[in-house]
């Protein structure tokens, strides 16, 4: 079942807006103390050059001194073991 009523140009515009927000998130300064840090990875399917491939999404998660958990960064890689 596909979506109806959404044009290709609307999808492209939404993706551009999301890309801008993601880049702003990744470029933000990280200025707090983070005594706990985890690096986790999960594999997802991604469309690249017209075909679907499996990629690893690597996520840096930390807990600050107030006990609040936050995602510090996200990157994608062809495998979980590939250096970033």
């Amino acid at each position: 079942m596909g979506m109806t009523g959404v044009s290709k140009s609307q999808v492209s515009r939404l993706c551009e807006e999301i890309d801008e927000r993601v880049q702003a998130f990744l470029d933000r300064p990280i200025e707090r103390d983070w005594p706990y840090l985890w690096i986790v990875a999960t594999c997802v399917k991604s469309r690249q050059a017209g075909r679907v491939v499996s990629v690893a999404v690597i996520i840096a998660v930390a807990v600050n001194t107030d006990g609040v958990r936050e995602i510090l960064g996200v990157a994608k890689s062809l495998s979980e073991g590939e250096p970033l």
Side-chain angles (χ1 to χ4, degrees):
M1 181 171 147
M3 290 180 54
T4 59
V6 179
S7 70
K8 288 182 181 180
S9 63
Q10 286 174 310
V11 171
S12 293
R13 183 180 48 78
L14 289 171
C15 286
E16 284 180 21
E17 289 176 19
I18 290 169
D19 287 345
E20 290 173 8
R21 289 181 182 199
V22 168
Q23 196 58 52
F25 169 79
L26 294 173
D27 291 342
R28 79 195 188 293
I30 300 175
E31 299 173 340
R32 297 189 64 148
D33 291 328
W34 304 96
Y36 301 100
L37 173 68
W38 294 267
I39 305 296
V40 295
T42 188
C43 290
V44 297
K45 300 291 183 186
S46 174
R47 184 174 305 276
Q48 294 182 1
R51 61 188 183 100
V52 176
V53 298
S54 185
V55 296
V57 177
I58 296 114
I59 306 164
V61 180
V63 175
N64 66 26
T65 53
D66 295 326
V68 177
R69 183 172 45 178
E70 184 175 339
I71 295 175
L72 297 183
V74 178
K76 72 176 183 174
S77 174
L78 293 178
S79 72
E80 292 178 29
E82 180 180 322
L84 297 177

